[in-house]
Structure formats: C-alpha cells, structure tokens
Amino acid sequence: MALPGLARALVASGTLAQPLAEELYAKAQAKKTSFIQELIGSGAVSARDLAHTMSAAFAAPLVDLDAVDLHRLPKGVLDAKTCHQYRLVVLSRRSNRITVATADPSDHQAAEKIKFATQLGVDWVIAEVDKLSKLVETLNATASEAIDHIVGGEFEFDEGSVEMSSAEPTDKVAQEVEDAPIVRFLQKMLLDAYTMRASDLHFEPYEHHYRVRFRIDGELREIASPPIAIKEKLASRIKVISKLDISEKRIPQDGRMKLKVGPDKVIDFRISTLPTLFGEKIVIRILDPSSAQMGIDALGYEPDEKSKLLEAIHRPYGMVLVTGPTGSGKTVSLYTCLNILNQPGVNISTAEDPSEINLPGVNQVNVNEKAGLTFASALKAFLRQDPDIIMVGEIRDLETADIAIKAAQTGHLVLSTLHTNDAPSTLTRMLNMGIAPFNIASSVNLITAQRLARRLCKQCKVPHDDLPGSALLDAGFKPEEIDGSWKPYKPVGCSACNNGYKGRVGIYQVMPITEAMQQIILRGGSALEIANQARAEGVRSLRESGLHKVKLGITSLEEVLGCTNE
C-alpha cells in the first residue's frame, strides 16, 4: 500500500509503526477522511508530537498559533474554501512569497493549489493540527458573522427574485457561487440600493479591506465593509447571474442582470468588472425603465425651456443635441423625448454603447466595436431601415457626425449627445471635429446643455438668513434681483433625506439655433460670439438657470456653485 508522505515521514522517524500506519490509512480511505484526522483521532500520535516530528523531518520551523494576532493576518491572499479544505492559515506575505502554517508539509496537492491561486512562492511553517483547525474555524466564523451582521438575521433571500443566467453553472462553479451568505449579501445590497434611490453600486477590494459604496443623488456613500475574504465568491456570484465569464479575471467585462422588486416591477442592472491590484472592482449601474416614463415636467425644465425643446423634437427633420458630463442625465433626457415621440406611426431606431433603458416600440441596437458594429455602421444600416427618428448614443468622431448630419438633412430627426461644457461650445466642438460650417448651420435645430443638482429636502430645508448679499452678487445674481421678495434655502438633514437633500433636479441651457446664430456659424464665429447672441435672445446660461432654481427654493446656492462654472 502506497502511504502518503506524512505517514512515510512518521514511519521513517520511528514515531509510528508501519502496520499501524497502513491500518490508519486504510480506515481514512474507507471513511473518506484525511489520514491526519484518523491519526489524531485514534490517539496514535498527539498533535504536539506530530508537529515536532514534521518540523524535524521537513526542516520547517515550528509556530505557536496561540501567540498569533488575528488582526495582523493578511486578508484575502487565499480563499476560505482552500484554507478550510487543507487546514491552512496564511501568516504573512512579503514581496512575492507567503508564509503558510500547516500540519502536513508533505501535501504537494495543497502546495500546488496555493501557488496556482496566488502566483506566489510558499514557505511552510508547522503548527499543531488541533490549534490550526480551531484558528481556521475562527477565521471562517468571523467572516460569516460579519456578513450576517451586515445582512441581518431577518433578511430572507428569494432565489426567484433574481433572473439567473440561461447557462446553468457547472457543479464546481455552483459550489463557488451558491454560498448562502454571499447570495443573501448581494441580494440585500441590490435591494438597499434600489430603496435608497442609488444610481450605482461600487464593490471595491483593497489590500486589507473591502468596501461597498452607493452613489446617491450624485454622491458616493460607504454603505458596508464586508470581510475581504468574500471578494472572490462575490465577484463569481455577480458574474454568473450577469452571464459573464467566471474564469476570466484579467480583462474588463460588461454584462446585465435583472431583479424583481415587486409583482410587476423589474429593475435592470448593468455590470462592469475591472481588474485592480487586489481583485476585481465591480460597478453595478441601476437602470430603472420607469425613469423614461417620468415625463418632461419631472426633469426640471422651466416652461419656456420645455416649449423650445418640444418644438425642436416635433420638427420633421434636423438634429437635437444634448451635452454635459458623464452622469448629468443626458440619457434620461433623450429617452424622455423618445417616449413622447414613440407613436405607432413612427419608426424609431437607437444606437448606444450600451443601451441603458429598455423602451418598448423603439428598435434599440448595442454598439459592438469588436464585431465591427460601430456608431457609424449602425447609422448607415438605420438609413436603409426606413427610419423617421434616429438616436445616436454619442457622436465621437467625424464619420459618425457626418452620417448623422446627412440623415438630419435628408428628412430624419436625429437625437444625440456630445461631451461639452455648455451649448455654445458644442458648435465649435463640431467645427473642430472637421464638420463644415454650412452643414452645422443647416442641420442643428437645438442644443441643450445640462447638469444635475441635488434637490433640497422639502421637509427640513430652512431659509439661509445669514447668507450675505455679497455672496449672492458674486454668484451671479443682479442687484435688482436681491429685493427681499425671496429667500435662499439651505440643507439641514432629517430621517427622510440624505444630509438635507432628496433627489436631483436638472439645470438646463436650452439654445435653439436661430438665423442669427446660423450666420455666426457660417462665418466661423467663436463660441463667445454664439454665447453673446444666445444671451441677447434670452437663453439662460447654466449658472443663470441654476440661480433661478435657488430663487424658487428648489436647490441651494452651494449646490449650484458646485455644478456650474461661470
């Protein structure tokens, strides 16, 4: 009978007789347990004697685990499942090597698994097996208790509430991702994010800790700090239900999943994974289809801005552009317009990267540059599909802009976005891309720039009486506007809001392209000339639009100053 390395070392040292070693090994095989468990359980060798024998036989130092500080152990170097299976504890990490406590240094399978999982060299130290088992269980219990503390004992997971991947995971993968505490933790985070009106969830691994943050009303807030040991299983769980490659951890991946939050309410989530130094960072964007159904009044357009926008999108052809930084609500604005235009007699096609809001009745295409489906190629295909309205997620290059403008000139309404600071600078940005001035002047109907400002909580906001008049003047108010007929408000904070703010409101600069502006464009005028002409025609700048909302008590002066430049 071929004995394992541990048994051979005990026999060679005279600690264990050959027949007894064979008998114990046969029992272990029959019970499907480890030889070391059978050895200690039978009393043939004590844990202390075993540790000393292994230390001498393999020239490995002994360690007293009673003297180990649990808080100083490196976190997340080796997954809990491997530590539990082979009874291992990682004691330290230095450069590209780790020190691992074991009772059986002869276990080559364990050594190879550690090297493969960590890509690090292994230095063994010997510990008494009973103390080692106790420490492994303590560390695992600490992780489970931490998750239970975050989730709460009353939280029940409903497997039917998450739409699973159509490809069923293998048994091995299922064991990795169907860990009940991980499943409950992820379910709770998704539901909490939805109920707290978060737009994004960030799962972020670091060297010694792990954190979960929600973006609520535009600000990131730390919500939970689960044990770092869960990072691999949590990433695997998210990947499986969003149909990503669970084995690929070296490159970014994108996917989607759904969560049922009521009998008739389903929320879409967009998943993005990113390899970082200490694991995969995962960002989950909440895509609520009902956001496109809010209606234009809920977005915060003033009556005159709303009428200009509606007039532009109801024209039979031309281009309407929405500009602003990432996260300024451009997509919701575009989809609100599409929802208004979405009628049975109209053919609407959209090209996005990726499509964020599902709108029935609209033909939505996801751009896939790897497969050759770019914005430009999608636009070319749309023009052969008898379209009435085309929406392009973003105009990024001259080719896309050229096709979009030709579509706008040949009887189609084109909606799109650009990344510029305000409406006037959008026209010079298009000129810089290489678009001819006469094409811009003849195709663009309207440009709207936007920002999102936090909305003051109606329940706890109070007048900002100690705000000096000079601060209002510096912000951009005219002296005649500070007449005492209105008061600015400031945030306070209550149980119903987030530090005095609840929800967000749009700040808009809505600029129709008039004949006077077309003349400026045709002669190659600057953004400053266009801005002066827009001001002369009564178009409010972003700052002026924000200050108007301060006068109405919708938001605070600090918030407007923070999200607009002047």
Side-chain angles (χ1 to χ4, degrees):
M1 179 182 292
L3 293 174
L6 178 70
R8 294 198 302 272
L10 289 170
V11 170
S13 66
T15 308
L16 193 66
Q18 175 86 17
L20 182 55
E22 292 178 354
E23 180 186 341
L24 292 173
Y25 181 60
K27 285 183 179 179
Q29 292 285 87
K31 294 179 181 179
K32 295 185 178 179
T33 59
S34 67
F35 173 74
I36 203 167
Q37 274 183 276
E38 196 64 36
L39 179 69
I40 299 299
S42 68
V45 178
S46 70
R48 179 181 173 81
D49 290 344
L50 175 64
H52 280 82
T53 302
M54 290 298 101
S55 175
F58 291 91
L62 276 169
V63 64
D64 182 7
L65 293 182
D66 290 335
V68 170
D69 183 356
L70 296 184
H71 300 291
R72 297 179 67 87
L73 294 178
K75 305 291 193 301
V77 177
L78 195 59
D79 65 279
K81 182 180 176 183
T82 302
C83 292
H84 188 271
Q85 180 181 355
Y86 295 103
R87 289 294 188 268
L88 306 170
V89 173
V90 180
L91 297 180
S92 66
R93 175 178 177 175
R94 181 173 295 177
S95 186
N96 61 346
R97 300 192 70 81
I98 54 175
T99 302
V100 182
T102 181
D104 183 7
S106 68
D107 192 339
H108 298 295
Q109 186 179 2
E112 290 303 317
K113 186 156 188 176
I114 295 171
K115 288 177 183 176
F116 180 78
T118 65
Q119 300 297 305
L120 300 170
V122 179
D123 295 322
W124 293 120
V125 295
I126 310 301
E128 295 172 36
V129 67
D130 53 350
K131 292 182 180 179
L132 192 60
S133 298
K134 185 179 177 181
L135 182 56
V136 169
E137 295 299 335
T138 300
L139 292 173
N140 283 347
T142 302
S144 298
E145 286 166 8
I147 295 176
D148 287 339
H149 178 70
I150 294 169
V151 174
E154 77 286 349
F155 184 84
E156 291 297 328
F157 172 71
D158 177 13
E159 182 64 44
S161 64
V162 174
E163 184 178 276
M164 294 296 292
S165 167
S166 57
E168 287 299 319
T170 62
D171 290 343
K172 184 177 180 181
V173 170
Q175 289 175 5
E176 292 286 335
V177 302
E178 297 302 328
D179 192 319
I182 303 297
V183 171
R184 290 190 297 121
F185 173 73
L186 176 60
Q187 175 80 346
K188 178 173 171 55
M189 290 297 101
L190 294 175
L191 289 175
D192 282 355
Y194 173 71
T195 55
M196 295 170 73
R197 309 180 319 280
S199 60
D200 301 87
L201 298 83
H202 292 241
F203 296 88
E204 302 169 312
Y206 296 96
E207 186 172 11
H208 300 301
H209 73 285
Y210 193 93
R211 71 177 177 182
V212 181
R213 295 191 292 173
F214 293 174
R215 188 176 292 280
I216 302 171
D217 294 337
E219 284 196 337
L220 279 171
R221 292 174 56 193
E222 186 166 336
I223 300 297
S225 184
I228 196 168
I230 76 167
K231 67 178 182 180
E232 299 290 347
K233 288 186 177 181
L234 184 60
S236 297
R237 172 69 183 172
I238 293 171
K239 284 179 176 180
V240 164
I241 60 179
S242 52
K243 303 179 184 179
L244 300 179
D245 184 352
I246 194 173
S247 63
E248 183 56 78
K249 301 177 183 180
R250 299 165 299 173
I251 59 173
Q253 296 187 67
D254 294 300
R256 295 178 82 105
M257 65 181 179
K258 294 178 183 289
L259 181 73
K260 189 180 292 182
V261 294
D264 303 311
K265 181 74 170 177
V266 177
I267 301 297
D268 282 311
F269 296 89
R270 190 182 77 200
I271 317 299
S272 173
T273 71
L274 180 70
T276 66
L277 285 177
F278 304 105
E280 288 181 285
K281 176 183 177 180
I282 299 174
V283 175
I284 300 180
R285 166 68 58 87
I286 300 177
L287 309 173
D288 188 354
S290 62
S291 60
Q293 314 288 335
M294 290 191 304
I296 197 166
D297 294 317
L299 298 182
Y301 284 96
E302 298 299 326
D304 59 327
E305 296 169 344
K306 172 185 169 183
S307 63
K308 291 174 185 175
L309 180 61
L310 290 176
E311 181 190 351
I313 66 172
H314 281 106
R315 290 189 187 180
Y317 57 87
M319 183 181 286
V320 175
L321 295 172
V322 181
T323 76
T326 301
S328 60
K330 299 188 299 295
T331 301
V332 171
S333 293
L334 283 176
Y335 268 93
T336 301
C337 294
L338 288 180
N339 197 45
I340 294 169
L341 298 168
N342 188 16
Q343 303 295 330
V346 178
N347 179 19
I348 303 175
S349 296
T350 74
E352 298 167 88
D353 184 19
S355 181
E356 293 190 358
I357 299 172
N358 182 24
L359 195 59
V362 173
N363 306 293
Q364 297 171 280
V365 173
N366 273 342
V367 168
N368 185 345
E369 294 195 1
K370 287 183 180 178
L373 181 57
T374 62
F375 280 118
S377 61
L379 269 173
K380 289 177 183 176
F382 287 168
L383 293 176
R384 295 190 291 272
Q385 292 271 317
D386 185 29
D388 296 302
I389 298 166
I390 295 170
M391 196 268 269
V392 186
E394 184 184 346
I395 294 177
R396 296 177 179 171
D397 51 55
L398 178 58
E399 185 183 10
T400 305
D402 194 42
I403 301 168
I405 281 175
K406 286 177 181 174
Q409 291 172 333
T410 54
H412 307 94
L413 180 65
V414 179
L415 309 179
S416 189
T417 71
L418 273 171
H419 285 94
T420 56
N421 290 328
D422 57 13
S425 62
T426 303
L427 296 170
T428 53
R429 165 92 171 106
M430 295 176 77
L431 287 170
N432 292 337
M433 288 173 69
I435 304 168
F438 62 86
N439 279 334
I440 299 173
S442 63
S443 60
V444 180
N445 291 343
L446 177 138
I447 301 171
T448 174
Q450 66 182 71
R451 301 288 188 275
L452 286 178
R454 290 181 294 170
R455 192 187 290 265
L456 283 168
C457 175
K458 294 179 181 179
Q459 295 185 27
C460 67
K461 68 178 181 179
V462 296
H464 200 166
D465 294 323
D466 55 347
L467 187 66
S470 59
L472 296 174
L473 291 171
D474 291 342
F477 281 107
K478 297 180 176 65
E480 60 269 21
E481 290 181 288
I482 311 172
D483 55 6
S485 62
W486 59 275
K487 286 184 177 181
Y489 283 82
K490 65 180 179 180
V492 177
C494 66
S495 59
C497 66
N498 177 26
N499 297 325
Y501 295 97
K502 186 175 182 180
R504 289 194 285 179
V505 64
I507 295 174
Y508 302 96
Q509 180 185 27
V510 180
M511 188 180 82
I513 306 302
T514 61
E515 288 187 13
M517 287 189 192
Q518 289 176 344
Q519 294 298 324
I520 296 172
I521 296 166
L522 288 170
R523 69 167 188 264
S526 66
L528 183 60
E529 288 181 79
I530 296 167
N532 290 335
Q533 180 62 34
R535 187 172 286 106
E537 294 175 4
V539 175
R540 283 189 292 267
S541 68
L542 282 167
R543 171 62 63 84
E544 290 166 346
S545 181
L547 294 179
H548 183 66
K549 287 182 167 55
V550 172
K551 286 181 69 174
L552 297 175
I554 295 172
T555 188
S556 67
L557 182 64
E558 294 82 6
E559 190 67 12
V560 170
L561 295 177
C563 66
T564 62
N565 289 327
E566 193 69 9

